[in-house]
């Protein structure tokens, strides 16, 4: 009944939240003389902080209306080009300048780990300046009726394969964090089946390929608890009146609580600073806080079967690096990968996927030729910095685009240096 109590609490807070928002507006109105006083700003700041920490954050928008191609600003249109009950495939269609090449076709596989695909807004923004970008927009499980069936790790792998088939040959996969395992498995399945539409390359970024290497707090929690503990403690049924009522899910608010508890002092200080920025009328700093937490606090539910199978396969049994992972009753053989190029990217300070966990893909795919593989370790970034921020834009994104371009089937293959650490090649 915990999910139901959560919903009841949210509903019970609605009148107080509405009152606080109305009072915030009253004390922020330029026609109110108190608005221009410290007392007025203090009251408005308190009401806004209360309203923001008690609200439910909806799915954000990508909001990428333009990009820069060959030095020119061009319009971008979001188009859903493929869809199934649990996922929409979005294409960021650019109005390219005359004579400009579209660049490699990149399919970003966003993580299904509690946040929406919009968390990768910066990833999309950086890559689409030099590539034709698509992204998986996973659907909140509580919004999917139970009549649409289940969705587990095997279905995830099938979805990836179906999307690659839809986009056609010479597609390049980029998996951010959680999807590194199912993407690698999907490529192995395609290669084992001699699928002619296999992707030209896959880039795995900060993913848990082998969590036995440099385990983090997240890895240790999953390793130290039996699967039944997760089933008994974190799996709940979606309450009425959501469309997915009675669907068994891992609620997004539980995932968010776990993430925030890891750095609770940092979040508390951020909200205190936000309050002080509002009191001091520091609009720019306050707006940065709003932008970050509007994204960070927007969460989605995961189907119970997907969550439990992922915990069991990836974090408890380590099935993929052991060569024991199954898909639809057949063994996933990463040694079958011979034609798909592999780029692995890690962050030096990653506290979610430790150093070496993603690079392990290079070891379990021994039959990929040297000229088709590369590893890059980005100094001075944590997990978020692997796919977002200034270092991603300047250091990582150009490498992804260059690697995909070099590995495209339409381009003559050339020797690719295996970058081991920022600024150093081998």
């Amino acid at each position: 009944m915990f999910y139901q109590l959560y919903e009841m609490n949210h509903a019970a807070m609605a009148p107080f939240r509405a009152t606080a928002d109305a009072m915030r507006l009253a004390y922020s109105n330029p026609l109110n003389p108190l608005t221009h006083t410290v007392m007025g700003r203090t009251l408005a700041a308190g009401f806004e902080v209360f309203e923001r920490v008690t609200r439910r954050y909806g799915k954000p928008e990508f909001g990428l209306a333009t990009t820069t191609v060959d030095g020119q600003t061009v319009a971008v249109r979001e188009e859903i080009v493929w869809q199934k009950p649990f996922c929409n495939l979005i294409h960021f269609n650019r109005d390219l300048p005359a004579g400009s090449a579209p660049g490699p076709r990149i399919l970003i596989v966003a993580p299904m780990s509690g946040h929406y695909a919009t968390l990768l807004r910066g990833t999309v923004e950086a890559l689409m300046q030099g590539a034709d970008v698509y992204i998986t927009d996973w659907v909140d499980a509580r919004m999917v009726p139970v009549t649409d069936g289940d969705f587990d790790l095997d279905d995830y792998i099938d979805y990836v394969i179906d999307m690659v088939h839809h986009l056609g040959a010479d597609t390049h996969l980029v998996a951010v964090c959680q999807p590194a395992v199912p993407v690698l498995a999907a490529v192995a399945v395609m290669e084992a089946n001699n699928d002619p539409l296999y992707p030209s390359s896959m880039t795995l970024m900060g993913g848990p390929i082998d969590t036995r290497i440099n385990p983090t707090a997240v890895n240790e929690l999953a390793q130290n608890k039996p699967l039944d503990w997760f089933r008994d403690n974190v799996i709940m049924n979606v309450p009425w009146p959501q469309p997915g009522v009675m669907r068994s899910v891992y609620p997004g608010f539980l995932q968010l609580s776990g993430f925030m508890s890891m750095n609770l002092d940092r979040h508390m200080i951020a909200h205190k600073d936000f309050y002080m920025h509002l009191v001091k009328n520091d609009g720019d700093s306050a707006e940065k806080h709003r932008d970050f937490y509007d994204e960070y606090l927007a969460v989605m539910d995961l189907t119970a079967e997907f969550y439990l199978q992922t915990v069991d396969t990836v974090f408890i049994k380590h099935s993929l690096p052991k060569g024991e992972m199954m898909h639809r009753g057949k063994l996933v053989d990463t040694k079958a990968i011979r034609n798909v190029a592999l780029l692995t990217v890690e962050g030096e300070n990653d506290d979610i996927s430790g150093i070496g966990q993603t690079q392990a893909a290079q070891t379990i795919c021994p039959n990929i030729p040297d000229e088709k593989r590369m590893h890059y370790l980005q100094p001075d970034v944590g997990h978020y910095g692997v796919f977002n921020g200034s270092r991603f834009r300047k250091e990582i994104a150009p490498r992804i685009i260059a690697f995909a371009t070099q590995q495209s089937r339409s381009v003559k293959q050339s020797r690719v240096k295996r970058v081991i650490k920022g600024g150093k090649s081998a």
Side-chain angles (χ1 to χ4, degrees):
M1 296 295 292
F2 190 75
Y3 204 151
Q4 286 81 354
L5 291 173
Y6 172 82
E7 290 290 317
M8 289 173 60
N9 179 69
H10 180 77
M13 292 296 295
F16 302 98
R17 191 164 50 250
T19 301
D21 197 35
M23 296 301 290
R24 176 189 65 84
L25 292 172
Y27 283 103
S28 301
N29 192 320
L31 298 179
N32 184 346
L34 289 176
T35 296
H36 310 287
T37 67
V38 174
M39 184 182 75
R41 291 197 299 271
T42 300
L43 288 170
F47 287 128
E48 180 169 353
V49 171
F50 174 81
E51 190 278 331
R52 290 185 63 84
V53 298
T54 58
R55 76 161 69 160
R56 172 180 288 144
Y57 289 78
K59 179 183 176 183
E61 300 290 333
F62 279 101
L64 300 174
T66 62
T67 189
T68 303
V69 178
D70 294 340
Q72 298 185 44
T73 300
V74 300
V76 178
R77 300 184 308 278
E78 289 183 32
E79 300 174 349
I80 297 177
V81 296
W82 178 96
Q83 60 185 150
K84 282 193 174 182
F86 291 91
C87 185
N88 296 317
L89 180 60
I90 296 178
H91 179 212
F92 295 90
N93 195 347
R94 303 163 297 163
D95 291 335
L96 294 173
S100 293
R105 184 193 306 117
I106 290 180
L107 168 56
I108 302 174
V109 183
M112 182 184 272
S113 55
H115 282 101
Y116 292 97
T118 51
L119 191 68
L120 304 187
R121 183 184 295 104
T123 315
V124 174
E125 188 174 20
L127 291 178
M128 71 178 177
Q129 295 184 27
D132 187 20
V133 177
Y134 298 75
I135 192 169
T136 57
D137 185 25
W138 301 106
V139 178
D140 188 345
R142 71 177 185 166
M143 303 304 292
V144 183
V146 293
T147 53
D148 284 329
D150 295 337
F151 182 86
D152 60 13
L153 186 57
D154 287 342
D155 294 313
Y156 194 120
I157 293 170
D158 290 339
Y159 270 39
V160 172
I161 294 173
D162 286 350
M163 284 183 275
V164 172
H165 285 170
H166 177 81
L167 296 179
D170 212 9
T171 295
H172 303 268
L173 294 172
V174 174
V176 180
C177 188
Q178 169 269 321
V181 169
V183 163
L184 183 56
V187 171
V189 169
M190 296 182 76
E191 287 262 45
N193 293 335
N194 295 315
D195 193 324
L197 296 179
Y198 63 84
S200 293
S201 74
M202 56 176 163
T203 298
L204 311 180
M205 305 173 63
I209 297 297
D210 190 347
T211 58
R212 296 171 299 179
I213 303 171
N214 292 323
T216 63
V218 175
N219 306 148
E220 290 173 350
L221 172 63
Q223 184 66 40
N224 295 333
K225 301 287 186 182
L227 189 63
D228 286 342
W229 183 91
F230 292 95
R231 182 180 290 107
D232 295 339
N233 289 276
V234 303
I235 300 302
M236 305 172 189
N237 289 334
V238 176
W240 181 86
Q242 303 299 333
V245 59
M246 296 309 296
R247 178 181 292 281
S248 294
V249 298
Y250 172 52
F253 68 84
L254 284 184
Q255 179 80 322
L256 179 63
S257 298
F259 277 135
M260 295 195 72
S261 65
M262 293 176 61
N263 299 285
L264 186 58
D265 55 340
R266 186 183 305 172
H267 293 295
M268 293 178 67
I269 292 171
H271 280 78
K272 183 200 73 173
D273 291 343
F274 174 59
Y275 173 81
M276 296 307 301
H277 292 319
L278 291 172
V279 173
K280 295 176 182 178
N281 204 25
D282 184 356
D284 289 342
S285 298
E287 193 58 33
K288 289 179 181 178
H289 176 96
R290 293 189 190 99
D291 289 343
F292 175 79
Y293 279 99
D294 283 353
E295 191 76 55
Y296 189 76
L297 299 177
V299 291
M300 55 182 283
D301 294 355
L302 313 180
T303 63
E305 57 274 12
F306 168 77
Y307 174 78
L308 293 173
Q309 190 178 352
T310 298
V311 169
D312 189 43
T313 301
V314 178
F315 297 101
I316 295 179
K317 293 181 178 177
H318 313 289
S319 299
L320 185 63
K322 288 182 177 179
E324 300 170 354
M325 183 174 177
M326 305 295 290
H327 171 258
R328 303 296 183 199
K330 295 183 179 180
L331 189 69
V332 175
D333 183 11
T334 56
K335 295 182 178 64
I337 304 176
R338 301 175 183 274
N339 301 299
V340 181
L342 172 63
L343 167 62
T344 50
V345 181
E346 296 181 332
E348 186 178 40
N349 303 322
D350 195 332
D351 60 351
I352 302 296
S353 297
I355 293 178
Q357 292 186 10
T358 310
Q359 189 179 10
Q362 303 281 356
T363 302
I364 64 174
C365 299
N367 293 321
I368 299 177
D370 286 346
E371 63 271 16
K372 286 179 172 287
R373 62 170 75 233
M374 184 171 92
H375 176 69
Y376 179 68
L377 176 66
Q378 176 62 50
D380 304 320
V381 300
H383 187 71
Y384 190 74
V386 172
F387 58 88
N388 225 324
S390 59
R391 287 189 174 90
F392 173 78
R393 292 191 296 271
K394 295 176 182 177
E395 300 289 340
I396 299 175
R399 283 177 166 85
I400 294 174
I401 294 174
F403 185 78
T405 301
Q406 291 169 329
Q407 300 300 335
S408 293
R409 300 181 204 179
S410 58
V411 177
K412 183 179 179 180
Q413 301 298 314
S414 59
R415 175 69 177 174
V416 180
K417 292 183 178 180
R418 291 176 288 163
V419 180
I420 305 302
K421 190 174 178 66
K424 298 181 180 179
S425 303

